[in-house]
Amino acid sequence: MELKAIYQSVKQDLAKVEGQIKTVTEVDFPDLAELLKHILLGGKAVRPALTFLSARFYNYDLDLLLPMATSVELMHTSTLVHDDAIDNSSVRRGRPTVNSLWGEDRAVLLGDYLFAKAGEFAALTGNLRVIRLFSQTLQIISSGELKQTFDAFKLEQSRERYFERITSKTASLFSLSTQSGAILSQAPEESIQALKGYGTNLGIAFQVVDDLLDFTGTEGELGKPVGSDLAQGTLTLPAMLLLEQYPEDNPVRELFDNPDMPEAARQGKIKRAIDMVGSSSVERECYKVASDYCDKARRELESLPDKPVRKTLVEIADFVVSRKN
Amino acid sequence: MELKAIYQSVKQDLAKVEGQIKTVTEVDFPDLAELLKHILLGGKAVRPALTFLSARFYNYDLDLLLPMATSVELMHTSTLVHDDAIDNSSVRRGRPTVNSLWGEDRAVLLGDYLFAKAGEFAALTGNLRVIRLFSQTLQIISSGELKQTFDAFKLEQSRERYFERITSKTASLFSLSTQSGAILSQAPEESIQALKGYGTNLGIAFQVVDDLLDFTGTEGELGKPVGSDLAQGTLTLPAMLLLEQYPEDNPVRELFDNPDMPEAARQGKIKRAIDMVGSSSVERECYKVASDYCDKARRELESLPDKPVRKTLVEIADFVVSRKN
């Protein structure tokens, strides 16, 4: 199923988020406006969709939901801008990154600006619980990214550490998106917790698939080069499984043991790791892990009222393990 | 007068801010804890002091003021961390910067974490006006810093542009500090506006003196190398005055026209610019500008209730134009 079809019920509200984001680009500082226009295009709008859908079980109040949905999308964008600056990435969503066009320094400041803008939209909800959650989520994301830098090029990492890291850097924002929708629709506490659990497990599954696509996708599908994680020294689940299955003569081990190897040799190792993922059981095993998390996500929905939106959230979980980009 | 003596009336509450900040360093992630401990030491605590003092005119409620005072100090620290990363600065407050010890990438993520933490403390006030102001201030600061990168190494800049830039990057946080104290103490709107004006004008004066000290101070006093602004291509008021007074054979012009000159030549130009500031009327003129802004700041206080704290705020304005670091 296509995302567009899944989103049908919140299509109009997602268009309003786009409208809000367009107002963000209208600033009286032409250089900043140019940066904002460049970065605030595209995106799958998964997170704002989750905020809207999570609010459909109880009192759907667009005046509160629209700023929050805009906030989670802006926060997502700001983390991408900083990530790309930190990783020196040159392409994202098929377009040059801010850091590659305007330099890392401006990317840092643009990301700061977007964080602040996201915070302002969160504040527009007037809901203190949501506002606190917003700030806490940003702490969790940045400390997760920080963990990733300290773990870079380390071969000895537990599976637990990997899940802890992706829960911080990805699932926390999914969870903010669903929780905030629940809170702003005055859902009972039990439902808030269920939607929080749904968002967290969905986010973990999403990131596991993301980490797999970094091996099995194409640059055209991903909008960025394949093998980026290995190039950054980030040990993801597919790489962990490769290390377990091929303890000897392993390109991941060789790469991580020699992070300063020449570029051509490095590319060779990455290519070989990609081939090994393709010809082994790693892909299947990763999908199994992602599916298990999606099952957990789906089970969280069982306690929620039996409304059509429940089916939509199930479809999103299905989409996450079938997506190609 | 020494800052310590000026702060006497809020000394105990500033110690509580230190206590709050200490709790920030107590995280269950040793690498992050180390970064936090490194950066969250020192500082003059001007901004939290302004929050406390601005609240002394009306209902002083420490439960609300303590999180806000902590918030402004954390926001200040986070902007320093990002500034140093962007400028590749190696020393701050007489100690190695985070970027010089742990790399620019981690400095970016640490700054993000601190922004988020500052936001969480602001949210603890439970005051939506203050929370929105917090987010707006961060937007103003980051867009001011962004302006600075676009203005770098440009010789043709209006005085107006300079004041606009320092109002964004420095005075806005002074203004947040004073305004939030006023708002949280339930000051009437007129008093909030007066304290906002005081903070803004004080912040401009503070930055003018800061920009001058970059020429006239010593590394020992400043805790960082002199001439940093020129090295970054940042045209500050003293450099503007030098350009006006010495249109021919001007080291600032030579430096900005050839930003890629060899390091030794660059240092020579900076040294000459420093000498010229010392032997010209530039220092006196800068102090005159700063004094004028401090006068404006003082005049803003006239509409406020005649309480002892008014004298303290006047003393802070006096301190700003007499300080050596």
Side-chain angles (χ1 to χ4, degrees):
Chain A
M1 195 162 200
E2 289 272 327
L3 259 189
K4 219 173 149 183
I6 302 175
Y7 288 173
Q8 198 54 44
S9 67
V10 288
K11 193 182 149 191
Q12 286 185 320
D13 294 344
L14 286 175
K16 286 186 183 122
V17 171
E18 268 183 54
Q20 290 292 300
I21 285 177
K22 197 166 170 297
T23 68
V24 171
T25 67
E26 290 157 1
V27 289
D28 183 27
F29 170 12
D31 294 314
L32 174 58
E34 196 186 344
L35 286 163
L36 289 167
K37 275 176 200 149
H38 177 82
I39 195 65
L40 291 172
L41 290 170
K44 288 186 286 286
V46 177
R47 295 159 192 81
L50 288 173
T51 299
F52 287 133
L53 293 167
S54 298
R56 282 256 186 248
F57 293 96
Y58 297 94
N59 304 316
Y60 193 89
D61 182 342
L62 187 62
D63 289 344
L64 301 180
L65 295 166
L66 183 55
M68 194 60 212
T70 307
S71 174
V72 294
E73 186 64 7
L74 289 174
M75 198 208 264
H76 174 54
T77 309
S78 62
T79 62
L80 295 183
V81 172
H82 277 187
D83 284 359
D84 287 342
I86 286 169
D87 295 344
N88 287 313
S89 304
S90 52
V91 187
R92 160 85 66 181
R93 294 173 179 168
R95 312 176 66 215
T97 54
V98 173
N99 50 293
S100 71
L101 291 177
W102 287 278
E104 181 169 352
D105 296 350
R106 286 174 189 153
V108 172
L109 295 169
L110 178 70
D112 291 351
Y113 182 87
L114 288 169
F115 278 138
K117 201 76 195 172
E120 191 184 5
F121 274 100
L124 284 176
T125 64
N127 185 302
L128 289 168
R129 181 171 175 185
V130 161
I131 293 168
R132 276 198 73 180
L133 214 50
F134 172 91
S135 292
Q136 287 163 345
T137 303
L138 184 51
Q139 286 167 54
I140 293 168
I141 294 172
S142 48
S143 67
E145 295 281 352
L146 209 45
K147 273 201 184 100
Q148 188 164 300
T149 72
F150 283 103
D151 290 345
F153 292 104
K154 281 189 193 159
L155 285 163
E156 303 305 325
Q157 292 181 42
S158 64
R159 204 71 67 92
E160 199 185 354
R161 178 85 176 180
Y162 167 73
F163 285 109
E164 186 189 308
R165 220 167 50 209
I166 68 172
T167 302
S168 296
K169 74 169 197 171
T170 304
S172 63
L173 185 48
F174 276 73
S175 162
L176 172 67
S177 305
T178 53
Q179 264 189 96
S180 59
I183 294 168
L184 294 171
S185 64
Q186 297 169 282
E189 193 56 36
E190 194 200 343
S191 298
I192 295 172
Q193 294 309 319
L195 283 159
K196 175 186 174 179
Y198 168 82
T200 303
N201 286 296
L202 186 76
I204 294 172
F206 185 93
Q207 189 59 48
V208 168
V209 173
D210 219 63
D211 291 344
L212 179 64
L213 289 174
D214 195 49
F215 286 87
T216 61
T218 66
E219 181 155 350
E221 288 164 349
L222 303 182
K224 60 180 183 178
V226 290
S228 303
D229 291 329
L230 282 185
Q232 298 296 333
T234 304
L235 194 67
T236 59
L237 185 61
M240 283 179 166
L241 291 169
L242 272 189
L243 283 170
E244 285 170 23
Q245 293 183 12
Y246 305 90
E248 310 294 324
D249 185 26
N250 188 300
V252 177
R253 182 176 300 279
E254 289 157 5
L255 193 66
F256 278 37
D257 279 343
N258 304 287
D260 298 322
M261 67 171 66
E263 190 51 28
R266 171 201 291 267
Q267 288 303 331
K269 301 293 173 201
I270 293 176
K271 173 84 176 55
R272 216 179 127 229
I274 289 173
D275 291 344
M276 284 166 82
V277 166
S279 62
S280 67
S281 61
V282 166
E283 182 169 359
R284 192 170 42 75
E285 287 175 56
C286 286
Y287 274 121
K288 175 76 175 69
V289 170
S291 291
D292 288 349
Y293 277 100
C294 280
D295 286 343
K296 277 195 201 177
R298 273 187 219 95
R299 278 199 299 277
E300 295 280 2
L301 302 173
E302 286 165 13
S303 67
L304 291 162
D306 184 15
K307 295 202 170 183
V309 67
R310 220 165 67 169
K311 192 167 151 276
T312 306
L313 291 175
V314 168
E315 284 166 358
I316 289 182
D318 294 338
F319 169 79
V320 157
V321 284
S322 69
R323 74 197 180 93
K324 290 282 173 230
N325 62 43
Chain B
M1 197 161 196
E2 288 273 326
L3 259 187
K4 219 173 149 183
I6 302 176
Y7 288 174
Q8 198 53 42
S9 67
V10 288
K11 192 181 150 191
Q12 284 186 322
D13 294 344
L14 286 175
K16 286 186 183 120
V17 171
E18 266 184 55
Q20 290 292 300
I21 285 177
K22 197 167 170 295
T23 67
V24 171
T25 67
E26 290 158 2
V27 291
D28 184 25
F29 169 13
D31 293 314
L32 174 58
E34 197 186 344
L35 286 164
L36 290 168
K37 276 175 199 150
H38 178 81
I39 195 64
L40 292 172
L41 289 171
K44 288 187 285 287
V46 177
R47 295 158 191 80
L50 288 173
T51 299
F52 287 133
L53 294 167
S54 298
R56 282 256 187 247
F57 292 96
Y58 297 94
N59 304 315
Y60 194 89
D61 182 342
L62 187 63
D63 288 344
L64 302 179
L65 295 167
L66 182 56
M68 193 61 210
T70 308
S71 175
V72 294
E73 186 65 7
L74 289 173
M75 198 208 265
H76 173 54
T77 309
S78 62
T79 61
L80 296 183
V81 172
H82 277 188
D83 284 358
D84 286 342
I86 285 169
D87 296 343
N88 287 313
S89 304
S90 51
V91 186
R92 160 86 67 182
R93 293 173 180 168
R95 312 177 66 213
T97 55
V98 173
N99 49 294
S100 71
L101 290 176
W102 287 278
E104 180 168 353
D105 297 351
R106 286 176 190 152
V108 172
L109 295 169
L110 178 69
D112 291 351
Y113 182 87
L114 288 170
F115 279 139
K117 201 75 195 172
E120 192 183 5
F121 275 100
L124 284 176
T125 64
N127 185 301
L128 289 168
R129 180 170 176 186
V130 160
I131 292 168
R132 277 198 73 180
L133 214 51
F134 172 92
S135 291
Q136 287 162 346
T137 304
L138 184 50
Q139 287 167 52
I140 293 168
I141 294 173
S142 48
S143 67
E145 295 281 351
L146 210 44
K147 272 200 185 102
Q148 187 164 301
T149 73
F150 282 104
D151 290 344
F153 292 103
K154 281 189 194 158
L155 285 163
E156 303 305 324
Q157 291 182 43
S158 64
R159 205 69 67 91
E160 199 185 355
R161 180 83 176 181
Y162 167 73
F163 285 109
E164 186 189 308
R165 219 166 52 208
I166 68 171
T167 303
S168 295
K169 73 169 199 171
T170 305
S172 64
L173 186 47
F174 275 74
S175 162
L176 172 68
S177 305
T178 53
Q179 264 189 96
S180 59
I183 294 168
L184 294 172
S185 63
Q186 298 168 282
E189 193 57 36
E190 194 201 342
S191 298
I192 295 172
Q193 294 309 319
L195 283 160
K196 175 186 174 180
Y198 168 82
T200 303
N201 287 297
L202 186 75
I204 294 172
F206 185 92
Q207 189 59 47
V208 168
V209 173
D210 218 61
D211 291 344
L212 179 64
L213 289 174
D214 195 47
F215 286 86
T216 61
T218 65
E219 181 156 352
E221 287 163 350
L222 303 180
K224 61 179 182 180
V226 290
S228 302
D229 291 329
L230 282 186
Q232 298 296 332
T234 303
L235 194 67
T236 58
L237 185 61
M240 285 179 164
L241 291 169
L242 271 190
L243 283 170
E244 285 169 23
Q245 294 184 10
Y246 305 89
E248 310 295 324
D249 184 26
N250 188 302
V252 177
R253 181 175 301 279
E254 289 157 4
L255 193 66
F256 278 36
D257 279 341
N258 304 286
D260 299 321
M261 66 171 67
E263 190 51 29
R266 172 201 290 268
Q267 289 304 330
K269 301 293 174 201
I270 294 176
K271 172 85 175 55
R272 213 177 129 231
I274 290 173
D275 291 344
M276 283 166 82
V277 166
S279 61
S280 67
S281 62
V282 166
E283 181 169 358
R284 192 172 40 78
E285 287 175 54
C286 286
Y287 274 122
K288 174 76 175 69
V289 170
S291 291
D292 288 349
Y293 277 99
C294 280
D295 286 343
K296 277 195 200 177
R298 271 186 221 98
R299 277 198 301 276
E300 294 281 2
L301 301 173
E302 287 166 13
S303 67
L304 291 163
D306 184 16
K307 294 201 171 183
V309 68
R310 220 164 68 170
K311 191 168 152 275
T312 307
L313 291 175
V314 168
E315 285 166 357
I316 289 183
D318 294 337
F319 170 79
V320 157
V321 285
S322 69
R323 73 198 181 95
K324 290 280 173 231
N325 61 42

